[in-house]
C-alpha cells in the first residue's frame, strides 16, 4: 500500500456543482481512474476510507456526492453508526432524494464525472473503472452502458433493482456495455430477488458481456459498509479481493 492523499473537490455539472472526494497516491503521478458510486447514505467518512484503500492500491479515486442537488454532503444528518431500523426518519428523508435521481439525471452527471477524470492530471489516459454500492451498483451498470467507450470495467456490490420489469431497468443497457463486469450480490436481499439475479445474468450473457455474478452467502444488503448494521466482515473482504482482481485485469 502506498501513501495516499485525499482532498475535497468540486465538479461542475450541467445542473450545478457536485461536491466530491478525491483520493490518490501521494506521489502525484497519474494513475488509472476509478469512479466510486455511493450507497444511499452518501459521501461520508466510511466512503472516504474506502476510496483511500483503493488509492493505496495504486488508483486515483473519485467519490461524488450524487445527491448534490439537495445540498453538500451529508445531505441528511448521519450518526457515526447507521442502524436504519432504529432511525426510520432517516429513510423518510432519503427515499424521496433517491427517487428524484432519475436515470437521465444520473447519467448526465456521470458524463461530468467522467470528463473531470479525463481532464485531471492525476488520472492516467484511457478509460476508467467503476465500482458502486447499493444504489451505486445500479449507477455503475447504467454508466457502463451509457458511456461504453469510457468504461473498461465496472463492479457492483449488494445492488438493488438491477433487473426489474420497468422500462428503464438497468439490465436493459447490457447490449451497449463493452466493459468487463463483476457483481457481488447479497444473500437473501429483498431488493434483488433470485428472479432479478437470473434476469441480469441472462441479459449479460445474451449480450456477450464479459462478466461474473456471485451471491455472497450470509451477507445482507449493505454488507460492505462498516459503519452500518449490515456490515459483514467476511463479505466485505471478499469484495475487496474481487474488486482489486478486476482492476488488475483491467489496467
Amino acid at each position: 500500500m502506498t501513501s495516499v492523499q485525499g482532498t475535497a473537490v468540486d465538479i461542475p455539472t450541467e445542473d450545478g456543482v457536485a461536491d466530491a472526494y478525491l483520493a490518490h497516491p501521494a506521489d502525484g503521478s497519474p494513475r488509472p481512474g476509478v469512479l466510486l458510486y455511493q450507497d444511499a447514505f452518501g459521501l461520508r467518512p466510511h466512503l472516504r476510507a474506502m476510496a483511500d484503500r483503493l488509492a493505496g492500491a495504486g488508483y486515483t479515486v473519485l467519490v461524488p456526492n450524487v445527491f448534490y442537488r439537495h445540498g453538500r454532503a451529508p445531505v441528511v444528518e448521519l450518526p457515526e453508526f447507521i442502524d436504519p431500523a432504529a432511525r426510520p426518519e432517516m429513510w423518510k428523508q432519503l427515499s424521496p432524494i433517491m427517487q428524484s435521481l432519475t436515470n437521465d439525471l444520473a447519467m448526465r452527471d456521470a458524463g461530468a464525472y467522467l470528463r473531470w477524470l479525463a481532464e485531471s492530471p492525476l488520472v492516467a489516459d484511457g478509460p476508467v473503472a467503476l465500482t458502486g454500492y447499493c444504489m451505486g451498483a445500479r449507477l455503475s451498470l447504467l454508466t457502463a452502458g451509457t458511456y461504453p467507450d469510457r468504461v473498461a470495467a465496472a463492479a457492483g456490490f449488494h445492488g438493488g433493482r438491477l433487473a426489474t420489469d420497468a422500462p428503464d431497468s438497468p439490465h436493459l443497457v447490457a447490449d451497449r456495455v463493452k466493459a468487463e463486469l463483476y457483481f457481488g450480490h447479497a444473500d437473501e436481499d429483498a431488493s434483488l430477488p433470485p428472479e432479478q439475479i437470473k434476469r441480469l445474468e441472462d441479459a449479460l450473457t445474451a449480450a456477450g458481456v464479459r462478466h461474473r455474478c456471485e451471491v455472497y452467502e450470509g451477507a445482507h444488503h449493505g454488507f460492505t459498509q462498516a459503519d452500518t448494521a449490515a456490515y459483514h466482515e467476511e463479505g466485505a473482504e471478499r469484495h475487496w479481493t474481487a474488486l482489486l482482481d478486476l482492476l488488475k485485469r483491467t489496467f
Side-chain angles (χ1 to χ4, degrees):
M1 299 289 286
T2 62
S3 178
V4 168
Q5 181 175 341
T7 56
V9 297
D10 285 339
I11 303 173
T13 75
E14 293 185 35
D15 298 321
V17 176
D19 51 309
Y21 179 71
L22 182 73
H24 58 88
D27 62 10
S29 298
R31 304 298 178 96
V34 178
L35 176 57
L36 191 158
Y37 278 125
Q38 64 177 63
D39 62 355
F41 301 119
L43 182 54
R44 61 193 191 279
H46 173 64
L47 286 191
R48 294 184 182 95
M50 293 184 76
D52 289 347
R53 181 165 175 174
L54 270 181
Y59 304 97
T60 295
V61 186
L62 181 68
V63 191
N65 167 25
V66 303
F67 295 151
Y68 71 89
R69 292 176 180 84
H70 298 269
R72 299 180 73 86
V75 296
V76 302
E77 183 180 352
L78 297 172
E80 290 186 11
F81 183 77
I82 302 168
D83 184 356
R87 293 178 62 92
E89 69 275 12
M90 188 186 303
W91 281 118
K92 290 181 181 179
Q93 292 177 284
L94 285 171
S95 291
I97 294 173
M98 293 172 62
Q99 292 170 11
S100 71
L101 187 64
T102 64
N103 288 359
D104 287 344
L105 288 178
M107 290 306 97
R108 193 157 76 205
D109 293 342
Y113 306 148
L114 293 172
R115 284 191 298 274
W116 193 94
L117 286 167
E119 294 169 0
S120 171
L122 295 170
V123 179
D125 292 339
V128 303
L130 317 171
T131 185
Y133 303 87
C134 299
M135 60 167 281
R138 174 176 64 86
L139 299 179
S140 184
L141 177 53
L142 287 169
T143 303
T146 305
Y147 300 95
D149 294 327
R150 290 289 295 123
V151 179
F157 298 91
H158 44 82
R161 300 184 60 79
L162 296 178
T164 70
D165 294 326
D168 61 349
S169 176
H171 78 287
L172 298 176
V173 305
D175 61 350
R176 289 177 266 158
V177 172
K178 296 181 181 179
E180 180 178 349
L181 305 185
Y182 177 89
F183 289 97
H185 304 308
D187 190 20
E188 299 182 8
D189 186 347
S191 69
L192 195 76
E195 59 269 23
Q196 286 197 40
I197 293 176
K198 183 179 186 304
R199 186 179 294 139
L200 174 63
E201 176 81 33
D202 289 348
L204 296 176
T205 299
V209 177
R210 292 168 296 151
H211 72 280
R212 185 174 183 181
C213 298
E214 297 182 314
V215 176
Y216 289 28
E217 294 186 4
H220 298 286
H221 187 80
F223 65 80
T224 63
Q225 305 301 298
D227 61 347
T228 75
Y231 181 63
H232 184 268
E233 184 176 5
E234 181 181 347
E237 289 306 311
R238 180 179 172 185
H239 130 269
W240 282 115
T241 298
L243 177 58
L244 290 172
D245 283 348
L246 176 65
L247 297 180
K248 288 176 184 177
R249 291 195 301 274
T250 303
F251 300 118

